[in-house]
Amino acid sequence: MAKYLLLKHYRGAPEAVNCVPMDQWEPEEITAHIRYMDEFAAKLRETGEFVGEQGLAPEGTFVRYDGEGRPPVTDGPFAETKDLIAGWMIIDVDSYERALELAAELSAAPGAGGKPIHEWLELRPCLAPLPTITE
């Protein structure tokens, strides 16, 4: 089994086919989208392929260590993840091909007009634990 991270993007990915921003959807379209996501996760729980998921709020701040006793540095020259990443899901699957299959299915979540979004999802393998060396 290998774990993969599926990232849902607000922007930054190639444009989806049905790219109407969620803040322009009707309430029932948002409900249908969330229902699809919940049913998708439930199906993966049943197959044992679900690890975790979380939608993300649009608020966020960059923080970095800038020396002892110094305040963190926030807001840089780069886009913040709050503008880019809408949520994530981690799956644990038998193969890369299965991860691709599930990402494609998740991409079909309904959006405006009840039609599939066909959004691009970022699929990234999680690093495996490093081997333990004993002497």
Side-chain angles (χ1 to χ4, degrees), residues 22-23 25-35 111:
M22 190 179 258
D23 63 0
W25 296 3
E26 297 297 325
E28 61 272 10
E29 295 167 340
I30 294 171
T31 299
H33 181 81
I34 293 170
R35 184 179 321 112

PDB file of all heavy atoms in Angstrom, residues 22-23 25-35 111:
ATOM      1  N   MET A  22     -17.085  28.733  -6.624  1.00  0.00           N
ATOM      2  CA  MET A  22     -18.080  28.214  -5.686  1.00  0.00           C
ATOM      3  C   MET A  22     -18.928  29.316  -5.060  1.00  0.00           C
ATOM      4  O   MET A  22     -20.098  29.089  -4.752  1.00  0.00           O
ATOM      5  CB  MET A  22     -17.411  27.372  -4.604  1.00  0.00           C
ATOM      6  CG  MET A  22     -18.391  26.611  -3.728  1.00  0.00           C
ATOM      7  SD  MET A  22     -17.589  25.604  -2.472  1.00  0.00           S
ATOM      8  CE  MET A  22     -17.714  23.994  -3.233  1.00  0.00           C
ATOM      9  N   ASP A  23     -18.384  30.508  -4.888  1.00  0.00           N
ATOM     10  CA  ASP A  23     -19.186  31.580  -4.293  1.00  0.00           C
ATOM     11  C   ASP A  23     -20.291  32.064  -5.227  1.00  0.00           C
ATOM     12  O   ASP A  23     -21.127  32.870  -4.846  1.00  0.00           O
ATOM     13  CB  ASP A  23     -18.315  32.741  -3.811  1.00  0.00           C
ATOM     14  CG  ASP A  23     -17.545  33.440  -4.938  1.00  0.00           C
ATOM     15  OD1 ASP A  23     -17.663  33.054  -6.115  1.00  0.00           O
ATOM     16  OD2 ASP A  23     -16.800  34.383  -4.605  1.00  0.00           O
ATOM     17  N   TRP A  25     -22.181  29.619  -6.863  1.00  0.00           N
ATOM     18  CA  TRP A  25     -23.079  28.480  -6.959  1.00  0.00           C
ATOM     19  C   TRP A  25     -24.326  28.726  -6.130  1.00  0.00           C
ATOM     20  O   TRP A  25     -24.322  29.465  -5.146  1.00  0.00           O
ATOM     21  CB  TRP A  25     -22.420  27.212  -6.422  1.00  0.00           C
ATOM     22  CG  TRP A  25     -21.224  26.722  -7.178  1.00  0.00           C
ATOM     23  CD1 TRP A  25     -20.613  27.304  -8.247  1.00  0.00           C
ATOM     24  CD2 TRP A  25     -20.473  25.552  -6.879  1.00  0.00           C
ATOM     25  NE1 TRP A  25     -19.533  26.563  -8.626  1.00  0.00           N
ATOM     26  CE2 TRP A  25     -19.423  25.480  -7.810  1.00  0.00           C
ATOM     27  CE3 TRP A  25     -20.586  24.570  -5.915  1.00  0.00           C
ATOM     28  CZ2 TRP A  25     -18.494  24.447  -7.801  1.00  0.00           C
ATOM     29  CZ3 TRP A  25     -19.663  23.541  -5.907  1.00  0.00           C
ATOM     30  CH2 TRP A  25     -18.640  23.475  -6.849  1.00  0.00           C
ATOM     31  N   GLU A  26     -25.402  28.053  -6.504  1.00  0.00           N
ATOM     32  CA  GLU A  26     -26.628  28.052  -5.720  1.00  0.00           C
ATOM     33  C   GLU A  26     -26.412  27.178  -4.484  1.00  0.00           C
ATOM     34  O   GLU A  26     -25.589  26.247  -4.512  1.00  0.00           O
ATOM     35  CB  GLU A  26     -27.792  27.501  -6.550  1.00  0.00           C
ATOM     36  CG  GLU A  26     -28.121  28.338  -7.776  1.00  0.00           C
ATOM     37  CD  GLU A  26     -28.588  29.742  -7.421  1.00  0.00           C
ATOM     38  OE1 GLU A  26     -29.266  29.900  -6.382  1.00  0.00           O
ATOM     39  OE2 GLU A  26     -28.256  30.669  -8.180  1.00  0.00           O
ATOM     40  N   PRO A  27     -27.132  27.443  -3.385  1.00  0.00           N
ATOM     41  CA  PRO A  27     -26.950  26.632  -2.167  1.00  0.00           C
ATOM     42  C   PRO A  27     -27.114  25.132  -2.413  1.00  0.00           C
ATOM     43  O   PRO A  27     -26.354  24.326  -1.863  1.00  0.00           O
ATOM     44  CB  PRO A  27     -28.028  27.164  -1.222  1.00  0.00           C
ATOM     45  CG  PRO A  27     -28.242  28.569  -1.669  1.00  0.00           C
ATOM     46  CD  PRO A  27     -28.063  28.547  -3.171  1.00  0.00           C
ATOM     47  N   GLU A  28     -28.057  24.737  -3.245  1.00  0.00           N
ATOM     48  CA  GLU A  28     -28.261  23.302  -3.499  1.00  0.00           C
ATOM     49  C   GLU A  28     -27.092  22.700  -4.285  1.00  0.00           C
ATOM     50  O   GLU A  28     -26.812  21.503  -4.173  1.00  0.00           O
ATOM     51  CB  GLU A  28     -29.598  23.037  -4.203  1.00  0.00           C
ATOM     52  CG  GLU A  28     -29.759  23.683  -5.553  1.00  0.00           C
ATOM     53  CD  GLU A  28     -30.331  25.099  -5.516  1.00  0.00           C
ATOM     54  OE1 GLU A  28     -30.453  25.705  -4.435  1.00  0.00           O
ATOM     55  OE2 GLU A  28     -30.653  25.602  -6.595  1.00  0.00           O
ATOM     56  N   GLU A  29     -26.392  23.517  -5.077  1.00  0.00           N
ATOM     57  CA  GLU A  29     -25.215  23.030  -5.801  1.00  0.00           C
ATOM     58  C   GLU A  29     -24.058  22.781  -4.833  1.00  0.00           C
ATOM     59  O   GLU A  29     -23.323  21.800  -4.971  1.00  0.00           O
ATOM     60  CB  GLU A  29     -24.804  24.028  -6.888  1.00  0.00           C
ATOM     61  CG  GLU A  29     -25.845  24.163  -7.985  1.00  0.00           C
ATOM     62  CD  GLU A  29     -25.622  25.347  -8.914  1.00  0.00           C
ATOM     63  OE1 GLU A  29     -24.910  26.304  -8.549  1.00  0.00           O
ATOM     64  OE2 GLU A  29     -26.188  25.313 -10.026  1.00  0.00           O
ATOM     65  N   ILE A  30     -23.925  23.641  -3.842  1.00  0.00           N
ATOM     66  CA  ILE A  30     -22.896  23.450  -2.814  1.00  0.00           C
ATOM     67  C   ILE A  30     -23.208  22.196  -2.003  1.00  0.00           C
ATOM     68  O   ILE A  30     -22.324  21.371  -1.738  1.00  0.00           O
ATOM     69  CB  ILE A  30     -22.787  24.694  -1.909  1.00  0.00           C
ATOM     70  CG1 ILE A  30     -22.273  25.881  -2.730  1.00  0.00           C
ATOM     71  CG2 ILE A  30     -21.897  24.415  -0.691  1.00  0.00           C
ATOM     72  CD1 ILE A  30     -22.330  27.210  -2.016  1.00  0.00           C
ATOM     73  N   THR A  31     -24.485  22.028  -1.644  1.00  0.00           N
ATOM     74  CA  THR A  31     -24.903  20.840  -0.896  1.00  0.00           C
ATOM     75  C   THR A  31     -24.607  19.571  -1.688  1.00  0.00           C
ATOM     76  O   THR A  31     -24.091  18.598  -1.134  1.00  0.00           O
ATOM     77  CB  THR A  31     -26.407  20.926  -0.560  1.00  0.00           C
ATOM     78  OG1 THR A  31     -26.623  22.092   0.247  1.00  0.00           O
ATOM     79  CG2 THR A  31     -26.890  19.685   0.176  1.00  0.00           C
ATOM     80  N   ALA A  32     -24.899  19.567  -2.983  1.00  0.00           N
ATOM     81  CA  ALA A  32     -24.639  18.390  -3.824  1.00  0.00           C
ATOM     82  C   ALA A  32     -23.144  18.098  -3.910  1.00  0.00           C
ATOM     83  O   ALA A  32     -22.719  16.934  -3.883  1.00  0.00           O
ATOM     84  CB  ALA A  32     -25.227  18.601  -5.222  1.00  0.00           C
ATOM     85  N   HIS A  33     -22.330  19.136  -3.997  1.00  0.00           N
ATOM     86  CA  HIS A  33     -20.886  18.963  -4.066  1.00  0.00           C
ATOM     87  C   HIS A  33     -20.359  18.332  -2.772  1.00  0.00           C
ATOM     88  O   HIS A  33     -19.587  17.370  -2.812  1.00  0.00           O
ATOM     89  CB  HIS A  33     -20.211  20.317  -4.319  1.00  0.00           C
ATOM     90  CG  HIS A  33     -18.731  20.250  -4.430  1.00  0.00           C
ATOM     91  ND1 HIS A  33     -18.105  19.876  -5.594  1.00  0.00           N
ATOM     92  CD2 HIS A  33     -17.753  20.486  -3.531  1.00  0.00           C
ATOM     93  CE1 HIS A  33     -16.796  19.894  -5.401  1.00  0.00           C
ATOM     94  NE2 HIS A  33     -16.557  20.270  -4.153  1.00  0.00           N
ATOM     95  N   ILE A  34     -20.794  18.852  -1.649  1.00  0.00           N
ATOM     96  CA  ILE A  34     -20.342  18.328  -0.357  1.00  0.00           C
ATOM     97  C   ILE A  34     -20.834  16.892  -0.164  1.00  0.00           C
ATOM     98  O   ILE A  34     -20.098  16.033   0.330  1.00  0.00           O
ATOM     99  CB  ILE A  34     -20.783  19.253   0.790  1.00  0.00           C
ATOM    100  CG1 ILE A  34     -20.021  20.583   0.665  1.00  0.00           C
ATOM    101  CG2 ILE A  34     -20.566  18.608   2.150  1.00  0.00           C
ATOM    102  CD1 ILE A  34     -20.510  21.679   1.571  1.00  0.00           C
ATOM    103  N   ARG A  35     -22.055  16.620  -0.590  1.00  0.00           N
ATOM    104  CA  ARG A  35     -22.594  15.255  -0.494  1.00  0.00           C
ATOM    105  C   ARG A  35     -21.725  14.290  -1.309  1.00  0.00           C
ATOM    106  O   ARG A  35     -21.398  13.188  -0.860  1.00  0.00           O
ATOM    107  CB  ARG A  35     -24.043  15.200  -0.983  1.00  0.00           C
ATOM    108  CG  ARG A  35     -24.665  13.816  -0.799  1.00  0.00           C
ATOM    109  CD  ARG A  35     -26.123  13.711  -1.262  1.00  0.00           C
ATOM    110  NE  ARG A  35     -26.917  14.873  -0.954  1.00  0.00           N
ATOM    111  CZ  ARG A  35     -27.414  15.730  -1.881  1.00  0.00           C
ATOM    112  NH1 ARG A  35     -27.184  15.531  -3.162  1.00  0.00           N
ATOM    113  NH2 ARG A  35     -28.135  16.763  -1.516  1.00  0.00           N
ATOM    114  N   GLY A 111     -20.600  20.609  -9.712  1.00  0.00           N
ATOM    115  CA  GLY A 111     -20.423  22.035  -9.456  1.00  0.00           C
ATOM    116  C   GLY A 111     -21.637  22.804  -9.926  1.00  0.00           C
ATOM    117  O   GLY A 111     -22.779  22.346  -9.783  1.00  0.00           O
TER     118      GLY A 111
END
